[in-house]
Amino acid sequence: MVRKESTTRMRLPPQHQGLEVKIPSFFRCPISLDVMRSPVSLCTGVTYDRASIQRWLDSGNTTCPATMLPLPSTDLVPNLTLRSLIAHWSTSVASCSPAAGSESSAVGASPSGLVRQVASSDADPSSALRELAAYISDDDVDEFEKNALVGAGGAADTVASVLRRKGEKTSVEAAEAAVRVLAAIVALDGIEDASKKRVAAGLAADAGASAASLARVLRGGSGLEARIDAARLVEFLLANAAGDAREAVAESSELVAELVRLIGPVDEKGNLDMKAVDTGLSCLSTIARSRRAARAEMVRLGAVPAAVRALRATTAPAMFAKALRILESAVGCAEGRASLCEDAEEAVPAVVGKMMKAGRDGAEAAVAVLWAVCHKYKDRRAADAASASEGALTRLLLLLQSGCSPVARQMTIELLKIYKVNAKSCLAGYDSKTTHIMPF
Protein backbone atom coordinates (compact mmCIF):
# COMPACT_ATOMS: atom_id res chain seq x y z
CA MET A 1 0.00 0.00 0.00
CA VAL A 2 1.31 3.41 -0.95
CA ARG A 3 1.16 5.89 1.90
CA LYS A 4 0.11 9.40 1.07
CA GLU A 5 1.84 12.49 2.28
CA SER A 6 0.06 15.60 3.39
CA THR A 7 0.99 19.25 3.52
CA THR A 8 0.21 21.23 6.66
CA ARG A 9 1.11 24.22 8.73
CA MET A 10 -0.33 22.78 11.93
CA ARG A 11 0.59 20.19 14.57
CA LEU A 12 4.34 20.45 14.05
CA PRO A 13 7.11 20.45 16.62
CA PRO A 14 7.79 23.99 17.92
CA GLN A 15 10.90 24.48 15.80
CA HIS A 16 8.93 23.70 12.64
CA GLN A 17 5.75 25.62 13.32
CA GLY A 18 4.98 28.22 10.70
CA LEU A 19 6.72 26.17 7.96
CA GLU A 20 4.98 24.37 5.16
CA VAL A 21 6.37 20.83 5.07
CA LYS A 22 5.20 17.43 3.92
CA ILE A 23 4.59 15.01 6.77
CA PRO A 24 4.54 11.28 5.97
CA SER A 25 1.19 10.00 7.22
CA PHE A 26 2.74 7.11 9.16
CA PHE A 27 4.60 9.67 11.29
CA ARG A 28 1.24 10.83 12.64
CA CYS A 29 -0.44 9.33 15.70
CA PRO A 30 -3.82 7.81 14.69
CA ILE A 31 -5.40 9.41 17.77
CA SER A 32 -3.97 12.94 17.95
CA LEU A 33 -2.89 13.25 14.28
CA ASP A 34 0.28 14.95 15.56
CA VAL A 35 3.78 13.87 14.62
CA MET A 36 4.65 11.20 17.18
CA ARG A 37 7.24 12.05 19.80
CA SER A 38 7.44 8.62 21.36
CA PRO A 39 5.97 5.97 19.03
CA VAL A 40 4.89 2.75 20.75
CA SER A 41 3.10 -0.28 19.35
CA LEU A 42 0.21 -2.28 20.79
CA CYS A 43 -0.12 -6.04 20.44
CA THR A 44 -2.39 -5.38 17.42
CA GLY A 45 0.62 -3.99 15.55
CA VAL A 46 -0.69 -0.42 15.38
CA THR A 47 1.67 2.34 16.48
CA TYR A 48 0.57 5.36 18.49
CA ASP A 49 2.20 8.22 20.33
CA ARG A 50 2.79 7.07 23.90
CA ALA A 51 0.97 9.96 25.57
CA SER A 52 -2.15 9.54 23.41
CA ILE A 53 -2.51 5.78 23.76
CA GLN A 54 -1.77 5.95 27.48
CA ARG A 55 -4.61 8.43 27.96
CA TRP A 56 -6.88 6.07 25.97
CA LEU A 57 -5.98 3.12 28.19
CA ASP A 58 -6.14 5.14 31.40
CA SER A 59 -9.70 6.09 30.49
CA GLY A 60 -10.71 2.43 30.87
CA ASN A 61 -10.72 1.43 27.20
CA THR A 62 -9.74 -2.17 26.45
CA THR A 63 -9.70 -2.06 22.65
CA CYS A 64 -7.28 -0.85 19.99
CA PRO A 65 -8.50 2.60 18.86
CA ALA A 66 -7.69 1.95 15.20
CA THR A 67 -8.94 -1.62 14.80
CA MET A 68 -11.38 -1.74 17.76
CA LEU A 69 -10.09 -5.24 18.48
CA PRO A 70 -9.97 -6.31 22.14
CA LEU A 71 -6.52 -6.08 23.72
CA PRO A 72 -5.29 -9.25 25.43
CA SER A 73 -2.31 -7.18 26.55
CA THR A 74 -1.86 -3.45 27.09
CA ASP A 75 1.94 -3.56 26.99
CA LEU A 76 3.44 -0.71 24.99
CA VAL A 77 6.51 -1.62 22.94
CA PRO A 78 8.72 1.29 21.80
CA ASN A 79 8.99 1.49 18.01
CA LEU A 80 12.64 2.47 17.84
CA THR A 81 12.85 2.22 14.06
CA LEU A 82 10.01 4.68 13.57
CA ARG A 83 11.41 6.98 16.22
CA SER A 84 14.72 7.04 14.36
CA LEU A 85 12.98 7.81 11.07
CA ILE A 86 11.02 10.67 12.63
CA ALA A 87 14.17 12.11 14.20
CA HIS A 88 16.01 11.92 10.85
CA TRP A 89 13.08 13.55 9.06
CA SER A 90 12.85 16.30 11.68
CA THR A 91 16.54 17.08 11.29
CA SER A 92 16.24 17.16 7.51
CA VAL A 93 13.29 19.55 7.65
CA ALA A 94 15.16 21.88 9.97
CA SER A 95 18.29 21.92 7.83
CA CYS A 96 16.44 22.46 4.56
CA SER A 97 14.05 25.16 5.72
CA PRO A 98 14.77 28.83 4.94
CA ALA A 99 14.65 29.53 8.67
CA ALA A 100 17.27 26.91 9.53
CA GLY A 101 19.92 28.19 11.85
CA SER A 102 17.84 31.13 13.02
CA GLU A 103 16.59 30.63 16.55
CA SER A 104 14.52 33.81 16.46
CA SER A 105 12.61 32.91 13.32
CA ALA A 106 11.03 29.84 14.88
CA VAL A 107 8.28 29.94 17.45
CA GLY A 108 10.48 27.98 19.87
CA ALA A 109 14.03 26.64 19.92
CA SER A 110 14.86 22.96 20.18
CA PRO A 111 15.72 21.70 23.67
CA SER A 112 19.40 21.40 22.77
CA GLY A 113 19.24 24.94 21.37
CA LEU A 114 17.81 26.14 24.67
CA VAL A 115 20.71 24.54 26.53
CA ARG A 116 23.14 26.37 24.23
CA GLN A 117 21.35 29.65 24.94
CA VAL A 118 21.69 29.05 28.69
CA ALA A 119 25.38 28.30 28.29
CA SER A 120 25.97 31.61 26.50
CA SER A 121 27.37 34.18 28.92
CA ASP A 122 26.17 37.07 26.75
CA ALA A 123 22.45 36.40 26.97
CA ASP A 124 19.94 36.50 29.83
CA PRO A 125 19.09 32.81 30.28
CA SER A 126 15.72 33.37 32.00
CA SER A 127 13.51 32.82 28.95
CA ALA A 128 15.42 29.75 27.76
CA LEU A 129 15.36 28.29 31.27
CA ARG A 130 11.61 28.73 31.55
CA GLU A 131 11.15 26.91 28.23
CA LEU A 132 13.45 24.14 29.42
CA ALA A 133 11.43 23.79 32.62
CA ALA A 134 8.24 23.46 30.58
CA TYR A 135 9.89 20.85 28.37
CA ILE A 136 11.17 18.76 31.28
CA SER A 137 7.78 18.96 33.03
CA ASP A 138 5.79 18.07 29.88
CA ASP A 139 4.18 14.65 30.35
CA ASP A 140 3.94 14.25 26.59
CA VAL A 141 7.72 14.35 26.14
CA ASP A 142 9.27 10.90 26.10
CA GLU A 143 11.37 10.03 29.15
CA PHE A 144 14.14 8.76 26.90
CA GLU A 145 14.47 12.22 25.36
CA LYS A 146 14.48 13.91 28.76
CA ASN A 147 17.21 11.63 30.07
CA ALA A 148 19.27 12.15 26.93
CA LEU A 149 18.98 15.93 27.29
CA VAL A 150 19.81 15.96 31.00
CA GLY A 151 22.71 13.55 30.66
CA ALA A 152 24.51 13.46 27.34
CA GLY A 153 22.91 16.76 26.34
CA GLY A 154 24.60 18.49 29.25
CA ALA A 155 21.45 20.22 30.49
CA ALA A 156 22.00 19.36 34.17
CA ASP A 157 25.48 20.84 34.45
CA THR A 158 24.70 23.79 32.18
CA VAL A 159 21.67 24.82 34.22
CA ALA A 160 23.52 24.22 37.50
CA SER A 161 26.27 26.54 36.25
CA VAL A 162 23.73 29.39 36.33
CA LEU A 163 23.43 28.94 40.09
CA ARG A 164 27.20 28.75 40.44
CA ARG A 165 27.64 32.22 38.95
CA LYS A 166 28.29 35.06 41.35
CA GLY A 167 25.25 36.97 42.48
CA GLU A 168 25.89 40.11 40.46
CA LYS A 169 26.10 38.05 37.24
CA THR A 170 22.75 36.31 37.63
CA SER A 171 19.40 37.93 38.31
CA VAL A 172 16.97 36.46 40.82
CA GLU A 173 14.66 35.70 37.90
CA ALA A 174 17.34 33.65 36.15
CA ALA A 175 18.26 31.83 39.36
CA GLU A 176 14.60 31.03 40.01
CA ALA A 177 14.15 29.71 36.46
CA ALA A 178 17.25 27.52 36.87
CA VAL A 179 15.83 26.20 40.15
CA ARG A 180 12.60 25.28 38.37
CA VAL A 181 14.48 23.21 35.80
CA LEU A 182 16.66 21.38 38.32
CA ALA A 183 13.78 20.79 40.74
CA ALA A 184 11.74 19.26 37.91
CA ILE A 185 14.62 16.93 37.01
CA VAL A 186 15.04 15.82 40.62
CA ALA A 187 11.30 15.31 41.20
CA LEU A 188 10.41 13.29 38.09
CA ASP A 189 10.24 9.53 38.51
CA GLY A 190 11.10 8.98 34.85
CA ILE A 191 14.51 10.65 35.17
CA GLU A 192 17.26 8.12 35.83
CA ASP A 193 19.22 8.33 39.08
CA ALA A 194 22.42 8.88 37.11
CA SER A 195 20.87 11.92 35.47
CA LYS A 196 19.65 13.26 38.81
CA LYS A 197 23.09 12.88 40.34
CA ARG A 198 24.42 15.15 37.60
CA VAL A 199 22.34 17.89 39.22
CA ALA A 200 24.01 17.33 42.60
CA ALA A 201 27.45 17.18 40.96
CA GLY A 202 26.80 20.40 39.06
CA LEU A 203 25.72 22.28 42.19
CA ALA A 204 28.52 20.78 44.31
CA ALA A 205 31.19 22.01 41.87
CA ASP A 206 30.95 25.31 43.77
CA ALA A 207 28.68 24.53 46.69
CA GLY A 208 29.19 27.91 48.34
CA ALA A 209 28.03 29.84 45.28
CA SER A 210 25.15 27.40 44.73
CA ALA A 211 24.02 27.82 48.35
CA ALA A 212 24.10 31.60 47.97
CA SER A 213 21.95 31.44 44.81
CA LEU A 214 19.47 29.06 46.43
CA ALA A 215 19.25 31.43 49.41
CA ARG A 216 18.50 34.32 47.03
CA VAL A 217 15.61 32.37 45.51
CA LEU A 218 14.34 31.41 48.98
CA ARG A 219 14.49 35.07 49.98
CA GLY A 220 13.28 36.81 46.82
CA GLY A 221 11.50 34.17 44.74
CA SER A 222 8.33 35.21 42.94
CA GLY A 223 6.15 32.86 44.98
CA LEU A 224 6.03 30.18 47.64
CA GLU A 225 6.35 27.38 45.07
CA ALA A 226 9.70 28.77 43.87
CA ARG A 227 10.94 28.90 47.47
CA ILE A 228 9.85 25.30 48.06
CA ASP A 229 11.64 24.16 44.88
CA ALA A 230 14.83 25.86 46.09
CA ALA A 231 14.56 24.13 49.47
CA ARG A 232 14.06 20.77 47.79
CA LEU A 233 17.26 21.32 45.84
CA VAL A 234 19.04 22.12 49.10
CA GLU A 235 17.81 18.84 50.59
CA PHE A 236 18.82 16.92 47.45
CA LEU A 237 22.28 18.49 47.49
CA LEU A 238 22.77 17.67 51.17
CA ALA A 239 21.78 14.05 50.55
CA ASN A 240 23.99 13.51 47.50
CA ALA A 241 27.01 15.79 47.79
CA ALA A 242 30.39 14.83 49.22
CA GLY A 243 31.59 16.00 52.62
CA ASP A 244 33.13 19.37 51.70
CA ALA A 245 30.19 20.44 49.58
CA ARG A 246 27.72 19.33 52.25
CA GLU A 247 29.60 21.33 54.86
CA ALA A 248 29.56 24.44 52.66
CA VAL A 249 25.78 24.22 52.37
CA ALA A 250 25.18 23.40 56.05
CA GLU A 251 27.35 26.30 57.19
CA SER A 252 25.67 28.91 54.98
CA SER A 253 24.01 31.22 57.50
CA GLU A 254 21.91 33.00 54.89
CA LEU A 255 20.61 29.68 53.60
CA VAL A 256 19.76 28.35 57.07
CA ALA A 257 18.01 31.63 57.89
CA GLU A 258 15.79 31.29 54.82
CA LEU A 259 14.99 27.65 55.62
CA VAL A 260 13.88 28.70 59.10
CA ARG A 261 11.75 31.45 57.54
CA LEU A 262 10.16 28.87 55.23
CA ILE A 263 8.64 27.18 58.29
CA GLY A 264 7.09 30.45 59.40
CA PRO A 265 3.68 31.99 58.69
CA VAL A 266 2.78 32.74 55.07
CA ASP A 267 0.21 35.45 55.81
CA GLU A 268 -0.72 38.04 58.39
CA LYS A 269 -3.08 35.57 60.09
CA GLY A 270 -0.20 33.30 61.02
CA ASN A 271 -1.19 30.43 58.74
CA LEU A 272 1.44 27.89 57.74
CA ASP A 273 1.82 26.18 54.38
CA MET A 274 2.29 22.50 55.19
CA LYS A 275 4.29 21.75 52.04
CA ALA A 276 6.69 24.57 52.89
CA VAL A 277 6.91 23.46 56.53
CA ASP A 278 7.67 19.86 55.56
CA THR A 279 10.40 20.88 53.10
CA GLY A 280 11.99 23.31 55.53
CA LEU A 281 11.98 20.75 58.35
CA SER A 282 13.56 18.15 56.06
CA CYS A 283 16.43 20.47 55.18
CA LEU A 284 17.06 21.64 58.73
CA SER A 285 16.94 18.12 60.18
CA THR A 286 19.44 16.98 57.55
CA ILE A 287 21.74 19.91 58.37
CA ALA A 288 21.39 19.21 62.10
CA ARG A 289 22.44 15.58 61.63
CA SER A 290 25.28 16.31 59.23
CA ARG A 291 27.07 19.17 61.01
CA ARG A 292 27.37 19.44 64.79
CA ALA A 293 29.15 22.76 64.27
CA ALA A 294 25.99 24.20 62.68
CA ARG A 295 23.84 23.68 65.79
CA ALA A 296 24.55 26.98 67.54
CA GLU A 297 24.04 28.96 64.33
CA MET A 298 20.75 27.20 63.63
CA VAL A 299 19.60 28.05 67.15
CA ARG A 300 20.67 31.68 66.77
CA LEU A 301 18.64 31.93 63.56
CA GLY A 302 15.46 30.67 65.26
CA ALA A 303 15.34 26.94 64.54
CA VAL A 304 14.01 26.01 67.99
CA PRO A 305 10.84 28.17 68.01
CA ALA A 306 10.27 27.23 64.36
CA ALA A 307 10.40 23.50 65.19
CA VAL A 308 8.11 23.98 68.20
CA ARG A 309 5.68 25.95 66.04
CA ALA A 310 5.66 23.09 63.53
CA LEU A 311 4.98 20.55 66.29
CA ARG A 312 1.98 22.53 67.46
CA ALA A 313 0.54 23.25 64.01
CA THR A 314 1.07 20.12 61.93
CA THR A 315 -0.72 16.78 61.98
CA ALA A 316 1.62 14.57 59.93
CA PRO A 317 3.74 12.07 61.93
CA ALA A 318 6.65 12.42 59.48
CA MET A 319 6.81 16.16 60.21
CA PHE A 320 6.67 15.50 63.96
CA ALA A 321 9.74 13.29 63.67
CA LYS A 322 11.68 15.90 61.67
CA ALA A 323 10.84 18.68 64.12
CA LEU A 324 11.82 16.50 67.09
CA ARG A 325 15.15 15.63 65.47
CA ILE A 326 15.88 19.33 65.04
CA LEU A 327 15.14 19.92 68.72
CA GLU A 328 17.23 16.91 69.74
CA SER A 329 20.17 18.39 67.88
CA ALA A 330 19.54 21.88 69.26
CA VAL A 331 19.56 20.84 72.94
CA GLY A 332 23.02 19.39 72.40
CA CYS A 333 24.39 22.91 72.81
CA ALA A 334 23.84 25.44 75.59
CA GLU A 335 22.20 27.94 73.24
CA GLY A 336 19.63 25.37 72.16
CA ARG A 337 18.73 24.39 75.73
CA ALA A 338 18.35 28.03 76.69
CA SER A 339 16.12 28.71 73.68
CA LEU A 340 13.83 25.78 74.44
CA CYS A 341 13.62 26.49 78.16
CA GLU A 342 12.94 30.17 77.53
CA ASP A 343 9.45 29.17 76.45
CA ALA A 344 9.26 25.84 78.28
CA GLU A 345 5.54 26.20 79.05
CA GLU A 346 4.82 25.99 75.31
CA ALA A 347 7.74 23.89 74.03
CA VAL A 348 7.78 21.01 76.52
CA PRO A 349 4.05 20.13 76.22
CA ALA A 350 4.45 20.22 72.43
CA VAL A 351 7.28 17.68 72.66
CA VAL A 352 5.35 15.49 75.10
CA GLY A 353 2.17 15.64 73.06
CA LYS A 354 3.82 14.33 69.88
CA MET A 355 6.08 11.78 71.58
CA MET A 356 4.02 8.70 70.67
CA LYS A 357 2.81 10.06 67.33
CA ALA A 358 6.14 10.40 65.55
CA GLY A 359 7.26 6.79 65.16
CA ARG A 360 10.03 5.14 67.11
CA ASP A 361 12.77 7.53 65.98
CA GLY A 362 10.62 10.55 66.78
CA ALA A 363 9.68 9.16 70.17
CA GLU A 364 13.30 8.57 71.09
CA ALA A 365 14.21 12.06 69.87
CA ALA A 366 11.46 13.47 72.14
CA VAL A 367 12.84 11.55 75.13
CA ALA A 368 16.34 12.86 74.36
CA VAL A 369 15.03 16.44 74.33
CA LEU A 370 13.19 16.05 77.64
CA TRP A 371 16.09 14.21 79.26
CA ALA A 372 18.57 16.93 78.25
CA VAL A 373 16.63 19.84 79.72
CA CYS A 374 14.78 18.15 82.60
CA HIS A 375 17.30 15.64 83.94
CA LYS A 376 20.82 16.30 82.76
CA TYR A 377 20.72 20.09 83.04
CA LYS A 378 17.87 20.15 85.59
CA ASP A 379 16.09 23.21 84.29
CA ARG A 380 13.25 23.79 86.74
CA ARG A 381 10.95 25.45 84.19
CA ALA A 382 11.27 22.49 81.83
CA ALA A 383 10.83 19.90 84.61
CA ASP A 384 7.72 21.65 85.93
CA ALA A 385 6.27 21.88 82.42
CA ALA A 386 6.95 18.17 81.81
CA SER A 387 5.34 17.18 85.14
CA ALA A 388 2.29 19.27 84.33
CA SER A 389 1.89 18.01 80.76
CA GLU A 390 -1.22 15.92 80.36
CA GLY A 391 -0.45 12.25 79.73
CA ALA A 392 3.31 12.68 80.01
CA LEU A 393 3.80 9.91 82.57
CA THR A 394 1.65 7.47 80.63
CA ARG A 395 3.55 8.17 77.41
CA LEU A 396 6.90 7.59 79.07
CA LEU A 397 5.72 4.27 80.48
CA LEU A 398 4.35 3.23 77.11
CA LEU A 399 7.68 4.06 75.48
CA LEU A 400 9.49 2.03 78.12
CA GLN A 401 7.42 -1.02 77.20
CA SER A 402 7.67 -0.50 73.44
CA GLY A 403 11.10 -2.04 72.88
CA CYS A 404 13.01 1.24 72.56
CA SER A 405 16.79 1.37 72.34
CA PRO A 406 18.86 0.84 75.51
CA VAL A 407 19.90 4.50 75.53
CA ALA A 408 16.31 5.73 75.22
CA ARG A 409 15.24 3.27 77.89
CA GLN A 410 17.81 4.58 80.35
CA MET A 411 16.82 8.17 79.60
CA THR A 412 13.15 7.30 80.16
CA ILE A 413 13.90 5.69 83.53
CA GLU A 414 15.81 8.77 84.63
CA LEU A 415 13.03 11.06 83.41
CA LEU A 416 10.46 9.17 85.47
CA LYS A 417 12.24 10.32 88.62
CA ILE A 418 10.81 13.79 88.17
CA TYR A 419 7.32 12.40 88.81
CA LYS A 420 6.20 11.83 92.38
CA VAL A 421 4.36 8.53 92.50
CA ASN A 422 2.77 7.83 95.89
CA ALA A 423 1.43 4.65 97.36
CA LYS A 424 -2.18 5.54 96.57
CA SER A 425 -1.51 5.98 92.90
CA CYS A 426 -2.57 3.28 90.49
CA LEU A 427 0.99 3.46 89.19
CA ALA A 428 2.67 2.90 92.56
CA GLY A 429 3.83 -0.57 91.59
CA TYR A 430 6.16 0.82 88.94
CA ASP A 431 9.65 -0.58 88.65
CA SER A 432 12.23 -0.27 85.88
CA LYS A 433 11.70 -3.79 84.50
CA THR A 434 7.97 -4.51 84.37
CA THR A 435 5.22 -1.97 84.32
CA HIS A 436 1.50 -2.53 83.87
CA ILE A 437 -0.56 0.50 82.99
CA MET A 438 -4.00 0.65 84.56
CA PRO A 439 -6.83 2.01 82.40
CA PHE A 440 -7.77 5.64 83.07
Side-chain angles (χ1 to χ4, degrees):
M1 180 177 69
V2 178
R3 296 184 182 272
K4 296 181 180 180
E5 296 182 341
S6 60
T7 301
T8 186
R9 292 178 181 270
M10 303 298 291
R11 301 181 185 277
L12 291 174
Q15 64 268 34
H16 302 145
Q17 290 178 2
L19 303 176
E20 184 174 299
V21 296
K22 293 181 178 180
I23 304 175
S25 60
F26 58 91
F27 286 0
R28 294 178 180 275
C29 172
I31 298 175
S32 66
L33 301 182
D34 293 344
V35 175
M36 288 183 277
R37 292 182 173 183
S38 177
V40 293
S41 299
L42 283 174
C43 59
T44 56
V46 183
T47 298
Y48 302 89
D49 188 55
R50 181 186 293 275
S52 297
I53 190 60
Q54 193 64 59
R55 282 194 294 269
W56 169 269
L57 297 173
D58 290 345
S59 298
N61 297 296
T62 58
T63 59
C64 172
T67 66
M68 296 310 294
L69 294 174
L71 296 173
S73 170
T74 57
D75 291 343
L76 302 177
V77 180
N79 191 327
L80 300 180
T81 300
L82 184 55
R83 176 192 286 180
S84 178
L85 289 172
I86 293 174
H88 178 73
W89 168 81
S90 180
T91 302
S92 300
V93 169
S95 62
C96 294
S97 71
S102 175
E103 299 278 3
S104 60
S105 63
V107 173
S110 66
S112 57
L114 293 172
V115 174
R116 289 193 296 272
Q117 288 183 39
V118 173
S120 173
S121 59
D122 300 328
D124 181 357
S126 301
S127 178
L129 286 166
R130 284 192 288 269
E131 290 188 51
L132 268 179
Y135 176 84
I136 295 293
S137 302
D138 190 347
D139 292 336
D140 289 341
V141 177
D142 186 69
E143 295 171 354
F144 176 85
E145 296 176 4
K146 292 179 183 179
N147 280 292
L149 181 69
V150 173
D157 186 67
T158 299
V159 176
S161 70
V162 175
L163 297 179
R164 297 198 305 264
R165 299 173 188 173
K166 300 303 179 184
E168 62 274 9
K169 295 182 179 179
T170 305
S171 64
V172 176
E173 292 76 12
E176 180 179 328
V179 164
R180 287 181 58 191
V181 176
L182 298 179
I185 292 172
V186 169
L188 286 175
D189 292 335
I191 301 294
E192 298 171 354
D193 287 343
S195 296
K196 292 181 179 182
K197 288 182 179 179
R198 291 176 182 269
V199 173
L203 294 173
D206 189 342
S210 296
S213 291
L214 290 169
R216 290 177 68 209
V217 176
L218 278 162
R219 181 171 56 252
S222 61
L224 185 60
E225 195 61 39
R227 297 172 60 204
I228 292 173
D229 282 344
R232 285 173 175 164
L233 278 184
V234 173
E235 183 181 9
F236 182 78
L237 182 56
L238 287 167
N240 292 276
D244 291 343
R246 190 162 53 245
E247 289 177 12
V249 175
E251 294 176 359
S252 172
S253 296
E254 58 178 337
L255 185 57
V256 172
E258 293 304 325
L259 292 173
V260 170
R261 191 169 72 90
L262 190 63
I263 304 174
V266 295
D267 57 29
E268 63 280 358
K269 295 181 179 179
N271 295 320
L272 302 180
D273 182 275
M274 291 302 104
K275 188 187 298 184
V277 170
D278 187 35
T279 309
L281 289 174
S282 293
C283 292
L284 291 174
S285 63
T286 302
I287 291 173
R289 290 197 306 271
S290 62
R291 289 292 292 164
R292 292 174 61 89
R295 290 176 177 175
E297 186 66 6
M298 285 179 59
V299 171
R300 185 185 71 80
L301 294 170
V304 170
V308 172
R309 182 170 57 244
L311 279 178
R312 292 170 58 84
T314 59
T315 58
M319 284 194 264
F320 298 158
K322 294 170 187 176
L324 289 168
R325 285 197 293 268
I326 292 171
L327 293 178
E328 179 186 16
S329 176
V331 297
C333 65
E335 296 88 347
R337 294 188 294 275
S339 179
L340 189 139
C341 293
E342 183 178 348
D343 193 19
E345 293 77 9
E346 296 287 339
V348 171
V351 172
V352 171
K354 300 302 188 293
M355 181 187 301
M356 301 306 294
K357 299 179 181 179
R360 175 172 171 172
D361 289 344
E364 294 192 0
V367 166
V369 172
L370 297 174
W371 178 84
V373 294
C374 297
H375 177 77
K376 185 175 182 181
Y377 296 96
K378 295 180 172 55
D379 185 273
R380 176 48 52 191
R381 292 167 298 176
D384 289 346
S387 298
S389 296
E390 184 178 356
L393 181 57
T394 302
R395 289 183 174 91
L396 288 171
L397 293 171
L398 284 172
L399 180 63
L400 199 62
Q401 293 181 327
S402 67
C404 58
S405 69
V407 173
R409 179 182 176 82
Q410 184 60 39
M411 287 181 178
T412 304
I413 292 172
E414 292 174 353
L415 271 174
L416 286 168
K417 295 176 183 178
I418 69 173
Y419 295 90
K420 297 178 180 179
V421 182
N422 58 53
K424 296 182 180 180
S425 171
C426 62
L427 295 170
Y430 165 75
D431 61 56
S432 62
K433 294 184 179 179
T434 58
T435 303
H436 300 284
I437 300 176
M438 299 290 289
F440 291 96

